[in-house]
Amino acid sequence: MQPTDLPTFAAEPPSGPVQFQPRAWVEQIMGMPVSIHVRGPGVRDEHSPEFALVTGAVERAFAGLRAVDARFSTYRADSELCRVQRGEIPPERESEEMLEVRALCQDAEQRTGNWFSTEDPAGRFDPTGLVKGWAVEACALGLSQELNPDDDSASGFDVMVNAGGDIAVRSVRVDTPDWVIGIENPADRSQLLATVPLRTGGVATSGSAARGAHIWNPHNRRETPAYWHAVTVIGPNLTWADVFATAAYAREGDAVDWLAEIPEHVALLVDRDGRTTSTEGPAHGWDPGNSQVPGRHC
Amino acid sequence: VKRNLIVAACTLGGLIPLFLYPTSHNVSTVNTKLGASAGYGAGSTAGTGSSAAGSSTVTGDPVDTRWGTVQVQITVANKKIIGAQAIQYPDGNRRDQDINSYALPILSQEAVAASSAKIDAVSGATVTSDGYIQSLQSAVDKANL
């Protein structure tokens, strides 16, 4: 990716009623920028008691992501995951987080017909493809719960976490607008292909900025040219939106039909020639009686 | 007054969703669905009216919605709506939770220049730290720092 090819953007300054204006914090974690946005009382006033409360909670949220990175990093020889991969930790001594991720990975492989794979080319357990979405989802949920212990929509805080293009949002207020998520054109980052209004849920994009990229196909165990340029999936939580986006990206043309069968999710796919396709989800739209979050892990 | 009532009745169906979902971008979709399923509209709203000096109020039928029962009353003067209020309203807390629960979003598939869009976050293939510096997300973050 050539940063010099990219235009420089100037976003509008915040406007509108104060409770609509988020405050943003950004840190580099796992080699990518992680933005946390919070909107609610006092977040734009550094002298308010709420500001101190929110800042503390956001710091803990970043710390939680760093702890996940330390445990699951494949770049740190002393991480728990590296030690598991080297066979240094017997299964009964693995941490709760590792066991939770293992269970989710099994579930993910099953629900994607093994198109989502947590085995690396060497055949070792590698949950990297799931950990990021899971960690960011847990981060957003944990932050929202810490900031809204009373579940009070009048004085509460909405949160959004964007980790390198994968996004989790949680809202409790009723006087705020929907978060608007733009889906980037993978061929031209100065363009958005679509926008999505969201109050609670996850948005994940799998893809490569480079056309003609090769991907690991878990079925024939080969590097094959990617059929899709990018696949974006929107769903009730980021963990599963991310898993489904990754699996669809690895598939070929049947990814659209496969995604369309998944309830409560919407997808936008861009093929290598720049053609876009979207799934409309179930024809009846949402059903208030059936809003179970699939695979919620908390 | 009778003619005013007809005008008012036609408008009631359209007003109810505005009370329900004042903050959402999904509003147009919601309207359509509510209108179709609840079966109200110009033909079916049997409102009751009363008139005061120069204006009249019209009360719509209670309508069962996703969030509970809603009933709207409007005030009309000179064929124009000069006031509207919900006189029956869904239970507050339940409604808040419903508004903020996940709803299948509608993609607005309109290619727009990223620089001109009013957005909160950008989803794309994993952004590296280098790419981020000049990205739209970076600009949005900066505006809110």
Side-chain angles (χ1 to χ4, degrees), chain A residues 9-289:
Chain A
F9 295 104
E12 296 168 39
S15 59
V18 73
Q19 72 270 27
F20 295 175
Q21 296 171 13
R23 162 81 60 164
W25 290 261
V26 186
E27 288 204 14
Q28 301 287 327
I29 302 174
M30 306 184 220
M32 64 194 171
V34 178
S35 317
I36 295 182
H37 292 207
V38 178
R39 57 188 189 194
V43 297
R44 299 214 55 88
D45 173 9
E46 292 177 16
H47 305 292
S48 71
E50 291 96 342
F51 182 81
L53 176 100
V54 173
T55 304
V58 168
E59 276 165 12
R60 283 185 286 282
F62 280 129
L65 286 176
R66 267 188 241 102
V68 170
D69 185 36
R71 189 181 294 284
F72 290 95
S73 175
T74 52
Y75 294 95
R76 304 181 189 197
D78 64 338
S79 75
E80 183 182 347
L81 179 59
C82 282
R83 296 178 62 210
V84 166
Q85 288 185 333
R86 290 195 300 267
E88 293 171 12
I89 302 181
E92 68 273 14
R93 301 270 300 276
E94 289 182 8
S95 66
E96 254 176 61
E97 287 92 337
M98 188 65 67
L99 294 173
E100 183 183 345
V101 164
R102 266 190 193 279
L104 277 168
C105 284
Q106 262 184 7
D107 204 4
E109 288 179 341
Q110 197 180 5
R111 290 171 68 176
T112 62
N114 283 320
W115 279 100
F116 180 91
S117 172
T118 51
E119 260 188 22
D120 68 10
R124 295 175 308 183
F125 174 60
D126 183 0
T128 305
L130 183 135
V131 164
K132 179 185 162 192
W134 167 78
V136 173
E137 174 66 30
C139 174
L141 185 60
L143 180 59
S144 177
Q145 286 173 342
E146 179 174 349
L147 290 175
N148 302 297
D150 305 326
D151 205 19
D152 184 353
S153 61
S155 61
F157 298 87
D158 296 345
V159 306
M160 187 270 287
V161 183
N162 184 355
D166 291 337
I167 297 155
V169 295
R170 295 266 160 188
S171 302
V172 298
R173 300 189 70 88
V174 294
D175 55 353
T176 46
D178 297 350
W179 297 96
V180 179
I181 315 297
I183 301 173
E184 201 169 70
N185 181 346
D188 177 0
R189 294 186 57 205
S190 70
Q191 294 285 315
L192 299 177
L193 291 174
T195 53
V196 196
L198 206 60
R199 300 197 68 75
T200 289
V203 183
T205 299
S206 279
S208 166
R211 266 157 51 116
H214 284 60
I215 53 162
W216 173 248
N217 180 328
H219 284 275
N220 61 22
R221 306 187 65 76
R222 282 191 193 148
E223 292 269 321
T224 46
Y227 182 93
W228 300 104
H229 199 164
V231 177
T232 300
V233 176
I234 303 123
N237 92 29
L238 179 60
T239 310
W240 287 99
D242 190 27
V243 164
F244 294 143
T246 306
Y249 181 67
R251 297 173 87 111
E252 300 206 335
D254 70 345
V256 181
D257 290 341
W258 179 72
L259 285 168
E261 291 297 308
I262 303 173
E264 296 206 298
H265 288 70
V266 179
L268 182 71
L269 304 92
V270 186
D271 71 14
R272 279 177 294 178
D273 298 320
R275 287 184 296 249
T276 62
T277 315
S278 80
T279 65
E280 294 301 329
H284 61 272
W286 33 253
D287 172 4

Side-chain angles (χ1 to χ4, degrees), chain A residues 266 280-288, chain B residues 13-14 16-18 20-21 24-41 63-67 102-107:
Chain A
V266 179
E280 294 301 329
H284 61 272
W286 33 253
D287 172 4
Chain B
I16 291 170
L18 296 179
L20 281 170
Y21 217 5
S24 173
H25 292 252
N26 281 334
V27 70
S28 58
T29 318
V30 175
N31 286 357
T32 314
K33 289 191 174 123
L34 284 175
S37 61
Y40 58 69
V63 175
D64 289 326
T65 73
R66 184 184 173 212
W67 299 282
Y102 174 78
L104 196 70
I106 309 298
L107 291 176

Side-chain angles (χ1 to χ4, degrees), chain B residues 1-90:
Chain B
V1 172
K2 188 136 196 167
R3 204 169 147 199
N4 288 350
L5 282 180
I6 294 167
V7 174
C10 293
T11 323
L12 268 176
L15 270 176
I16 291 170
L18 296 179
F19 280 97
L20 281 170
Y21 217 5
T23 62
S24 173
H25 292 252
N26 281 334
V27 70
S28 58
T29 318
V30 175
N31 286 357
T32 314
K33 289 191 174 123
L34 284 175
S37 61
Y40 58 69
S44 64
T45 302
T48 54
S50 65
S51 64
S55 69
S56 59
T57 59
V58 182
T59 304
D61 289 338
V63 175
D64 289 326
T65 73
R66 184 184 173 212
W67 299 282
T69 304
V70 177
Q71 195 172 17
V72 176
Q73 185 177 67
I74 61 173
T75 309
V76 181
N78 288 329
K79 299 183 193 173
K80 280 184 182 162
I81 297 172
I82 56 169
Q85 63 179 134
I87 54 173
Q88 192 178 343
Y89 208 70

